[in-house]
Amino acid sequence: MPGSLTIDESRQLMRVTQRLCRPPRPGGLLADAGLAEDLAGLFQADFIGSTRWNPERRAFEDAVCVGRGREMAQQYVQQFQFDDPISPKARLRREPTLIHAIVPRQELMRTRYYGEFLLPFKTVDGIDLYLYQGTHNVGDLRLWRGPGRPPLGAHEVALLDLLRPYLLNAMLSFGELAAPGGGLDAAATEHCAWPCFADAPQRGVQPANPAAERLLRDLCAADADDLCSRIHRVALAGRPSAWDEFTLCVARADDSATRLVQLVPVLSSTGAAQGLERSFGLTPREAQICLQLAAGRSDDQIAAALGISYWTVRSHLRKVFTKFDVGNRVELTRMLMTPNP
C-alpha cells in the first residue's frame, strides 16, 4: 500500500476502482474517457497509452493514446516500436516498472527512440505495467509525464501495483482478451501478495498460493465455507464482488473451466483514512465509516465490517453529515468522490 495518500488521491483511487468494476465499454480500457481522466489525475500523467502484444507477429498492436492524440499511437505501431529500447524489457516484468529503472535516463536520451519519438511528443518520464493472464500478456498500461514535471517514483509504483488486479480484471472482461487454453500458471500465483484461489470442476475451490492457505487457516469453519461459496459464485459470474475487507477479482479463465480468483484488500488504506481526517476534521472512526460508505456498503454492512452497532454507525454519520454540511449519504458519497477544485 502507498504509505500516505492525499485526500484527492484517496478520492481518485476510489473513483478509478469503481470505474474498473463497471461493465466494460467497447473499444478497450481507455475508451472510457472518465476512467482515463481519473487515471491521469491520480498519477498526474500527461499521457496514458495502452497496447497489446501479438506473440505471433512479435509486435505491439491496438495502440491507444490519451493526451497525445492518435498520431502518436499510429507512429508507434507502424515505426517506433521497432526502435523502442524500453518495452521489450518491461514486457518481461509483471510489476509496475519505472522506465529509467530499465534504461538509465542518460542512455535513453542518446537513442533515436527518444530524440525522434518521445521528445517530439513531450513524453520523457514514465511507468509501465504489463498485465498477464497466466503466461499470456493481455495488455499494458503506460503512464508518462512531459518535460519539466516531477519525476515518477516509488509512490506511483505502489499506487499502480494496488490497481493491478482491478486493471487485469477489467481487461479480461472485454472478452477479446481471453487467453488461449491451458492450466493455471503456478509461478504467477506462488509469490502473489494477495490470496489466490483456484475453482475447478470436481475439485471445487482450493487455495492456489501460500497467502490463501494462511487466510483459510485463520478463518473459522463457517467463514471459510462462506468465502469459498462466494469465490465460486464470482468465478462463475466473471465479475468482481466483495467479501469482508476484500474485493474478489477473477484473474484467469481458461478452456478447462478452471478459474483463479484473487482477493484484493479493499481500498480503505490508512493513508486514505488519514487524508480524510486531515482535510475534513474527522475522527479516525468517522474516516473509516466514510471510506466504507464510499465503497457502497450499507449501514448494516459497515457495522459488521467495523465491529460496531448499527446505531453507532448512524450516530457517527449524523456527525459526519454536519461536518460535510450535507443532508444524506448520497450527497456525502458525491462529495467524497469529487476531487477538490
Side-chain angles (χ1 to χ4, degrees):
M1 293 281 186
S4 178
L5 299 177
T6 66
I7 183 61
D8 277 353
E9 284 178 326
S10 303
R11 288 168 164 169
Q12 288 163 337
L13 197 56
M14 289 186 285
R15 289 168 65 90
V16 168
T17 54
Q18 285 190 341
R19 288 187 184 278
L20 289 172
C21 290
R22 294 174 183 172
R25 294 185 179 183
L29 192 70
L30 297 180
D32 183 342
L35 173 60
E37 181 179 347
D38 287 339
L39 282 169
L42 177 60
F43 289 92
Q44 294 297 295
D46 300 311
F47 157 80
I48 304 176
S50 181
T51 67
R52 185 169 48 165
W53 174 252
N54 185 326
E56 295 180 357
R57 292 187 60 245
R58 304 291 299 173
F60 291 104
E61 299 177 339
D62 303 330
V64 178
C65 288
V66 176
R68 291 293 185 268
R70 185 177 300 176
E71 182 184 358
M72 185 178 184
Q74 292 174 338
Q75 287 193 24
Y76 181 79
V77 168
Q78 296 170 4
Q79 178 182 0
F80 284 102
Q81 67 165 304
F82 305 108
D83 297 312
D84 183 352
I86 302 165
S87 299
K89 297 177 181 178
R91 187 174 58 81
L92 302 178
R93 306 187 181 200
R94 292 175 177 267
E95 67 278 355
T97 306
L98 297 168
I99 60 110
H100 294 303
I102 300 173
V103 181
R105 188 181 303 271
Q106 294 301 318
E107 179 181 332
L108 179 63
M109 291 174 66
R110 293 193 293 268
T111 64
R112 176 173 180 262
Y113 182 70
Y114 180 89
E116 298 184 17
F117 180 66
L118 294 180
L119 193 57
F121 281 106
K122 299 180 180 179
T123 51
V124 298
D125 182 32
I127 178 173
D128 291 356
L129 171 62
Y130 287 77
L131 295 157
Y132 281 84
Q133 184 189 40
T135 58
H136 177 70
N137 173 235
V138 300
D140 60 59
L141 189 68
R142 310 178 186 203
L143 300 154
W144 287 63
R145 290 177 180 172
R149 298 292 308 285
L152 291 154
H155 183 71
E156 288 76 21
V157 169
L159 277 174
L160 193 53
D161 193 49
L162 191 63
L163 288 172
R164 176 168 43 166
Y166 297 91
L167 290 163
L168 174 62
N169 201 67
M171 283 195 173
L172 293 177
S173 295
F174 289 113
E176 63 188 17
L177 299 178
L184 294 173
D185 184 350
T189 62
E190 180 70 18
H191 302 293
C192 181
W194 300 295
C196 300
F197 291 83
D199 184 27
Q202 285 78 52
R203 295 184 59 202
V205 176
Q206 300 288 330
N209 67 350
E213 293 172 357
R214 289 193 296 270
L215 177 61
L216 284 183
R217 284 198 302 267
D218 291 340
L219 296 175
C220 68
D223 286 343
D225 288 343
D226 177 59
L227 173 59
C228 290
S229 176
R230 289 173 186 264
I231 289 171
H232 180 64
R233 292 198 297 270
V234 168
L236 291 178
R239 296 299 304 163
S241 184
W243 177 82
D244 192 30
E245 295 300 314
F246 293 94
T247 295
L248 282 62
C249 294
V250 180
R252 181 177 169 82
D254 61 38
D255 291 343
S256 69
T258 298
R259 302 290 188 268
L260 182 67
V261 174
Q262 284 183 336
L263 276 65
V264 185
V266 171
L267 294 176
S268 56
S269 68
T270 301
Q274 290 176 346
L276 290 172
E277 292 172 35
R278 289 194 305 270
S279 298
F280 296 103
L282 303 182
T283 67
R285 179 64 82 190
E286 289 169 350
Q288 289 174 337
I289 289 173
C290 283
L291 289 167
Q292 295 281 336
L293 185 145
R297 295 189 172 183
S298 68
D299 293 346
D300 286 329
Q301 291 171 325
I302 294 172
L306 299 180
I308 56 180
S309 74
Y310 168 87
W311 297 110
T312 300
V313 172
R314 295 302 304 168
S315 175
H316 283 300
L317 278 177
R318 283 194 293 271
K319 295 175 183 177
V320 170
F321 290 164
T322 299
K323 291 181 179 181
F324 278 89
D325 193 24
V326 296
N328 55 57
R329 61 192 298 124
V330 175
E331 293 178 7
L332 176 58
T333 301
R334 185 180 298 116
M335 180 169 286
L336 286 170
M337 302 304 291
T338 303
N340 285 333

